[in-house]
Amino acid sequence: MILDGKMVRDKILDELKLKIEQENLSIKLAIILVGNNEASKIYIKNKEKACNYVGIDVEKYILPEDTEEQTLLELIKKLNADINITGIILQSPVPEYIDYDKCSNLIDAKKDVDGFTRDNIYNLYLGKDTILPCTVKGIIKLLEYYKIPISGSNVVIVGRGNIVGHPLSLALENLNATVTLAHSKTKNLGDVTKNADILISATGVKHLITKDMVKKGATVIDVGVTRENGHIYGDVDFDSVSDVAGFITPNPGGVGPMTVAMIIDNLIWMKEREK
Ligand code: NAP
């Protein structure tokens, strides 16, 4: 069965739009982009489109490639202090000479839509109710929507990146999954992934996960994105793996749309805590 991220995103956005209307929530998102990264521009367009749909205002700050780090830090301070701004996104990547961690960590934890500031990650580590990174939350919501049990399941995550794999391992552990975090140094990766009731791949290695690495009936979530000659490829060899998987995400059309919906979900969560 296909885990249809687009369909679930649309349902979630409709519910959130209604909530914003009924509760008359006034929410504003600030998005900062430094430079001309083409993929970033597409991501920002998708975020803006979802915000427009549900009735959230967006303020974009597109800074030139040669922006000094200090200018970016000043902008973040200004947005932190602005009571009309509910949430802030600093789009990654930033140009090499800018310290992304330093800048993103300056975002007020209460306005940190991406959930990457130290306070929010520490709360996640402690298992507290906190702002979850959008991709992590999107994967959990997708599993919940299709009623795939998380508690007690063997989850194997391939990729220990700070944006997906690592925080996802904490979040799923907090939901009582038994989590194995695999990476490029993992020996006999296929033996490890075959134990998974839920296999999640977040590496950016095209078609790393093949049929022989998946247990029959397992749920397979493909997070990875590889862009090649205008095409997007996932980490999972969908055609062969869908023969053995019980549930599987398409890619594109699985985790990506859910990530965008969770930006809205996080913004509402943050707005409600302002009260
Ligand atoms: P990252 O920080 O670059 O981490 C990649 C991870 O993959 C690393 O832990 C690396 O292992 C592991 N890896 C690389 N080659 C491997 C191999 N052959 N076997 C096993 N593990 C391998 O990446 P990220 O930022 O977490 O993102 C991961 C992917 O998700 C990227 O493709 C990104 O574009 C995509 N993504 C998608 C969404 C979405 O909404 N769909 C959102 C965010 C990210 P080591 O640690 O040992 O080097």
Side-chain angles (χ1 to χ4, degrees), residues 41 56 148 169 240 247 260:
K41 286 184 188 165
I56 288 178
I148 295 164
S169 70
S240 76
F247 295 88
V260 177

Side-chain angles (χ1 to χ4, degrees), residues 1-4 7-8 11 15 138-151 153 197-198 217 219 221 246-247 258:
M1 184 179 186
I2 300 287
L3 301 174
D4 186 346
M7 182 272 290
V8 181
K11 285 198 168 208
E15 282 168 20
I139 292 167
I140 291 170
K141 289 264 182 184
L142 194 61
L143 292 168
E144 287 175 349
Y145 181 87
Y146 284 96
K147 300 195 168 29
I148 295 164
I150 296 173
S151 176
S153 291
D197 303 315
I198 302 173
T219 296
I221 309 273
F247 295 88
M258 292 299 294

Side-chain angles (χ1 to χ4, degrees), residues 11-78:
K11 285 198 168 208
I12 290 174
L13 288 183
D14 281 340
E15 282 168 20
L16 297 178
K17 181 178 162 67
L18 195 66
K19 187 177 171 70
I20 289 171
E21 281 166 9
Q22 284 176 343
E23 295 178 23
N24 205 12
L25 299 174
S26 168
I27 302 177
K28 194 182 269 186
L29 169 66
I31 303 179
I32 310 171
L33 172 69
V34 188
N36 289 308
N37 185 295
E38 289 307 319
S40 291
K41 286 184 188 165
I42 297 170
Y43 292 140
I44 289 177
K45 212 169 134 195
N46 290 337
K47 292 170 189 179
E48 213 181 346
K49 198 172 149 198
C51 286
N52 290 338
Y53 179 72
V54 299
I56 288 178
D57 289 335
V58 178
E59 265 182 25
K60 280 188 296 181
Y61 295 85
I62 312 292
L63 308 181
E65 188 79 37
D66 59 357
T67 300
E68 289 190 11
E69 187 177 277
Q70 193 52 36
T71 310
L72 178 56
L73 293 169
E74 291 303 327
L75 173 61
I76 293 171
K77 277 188 208 159
K78 192 184 102 180

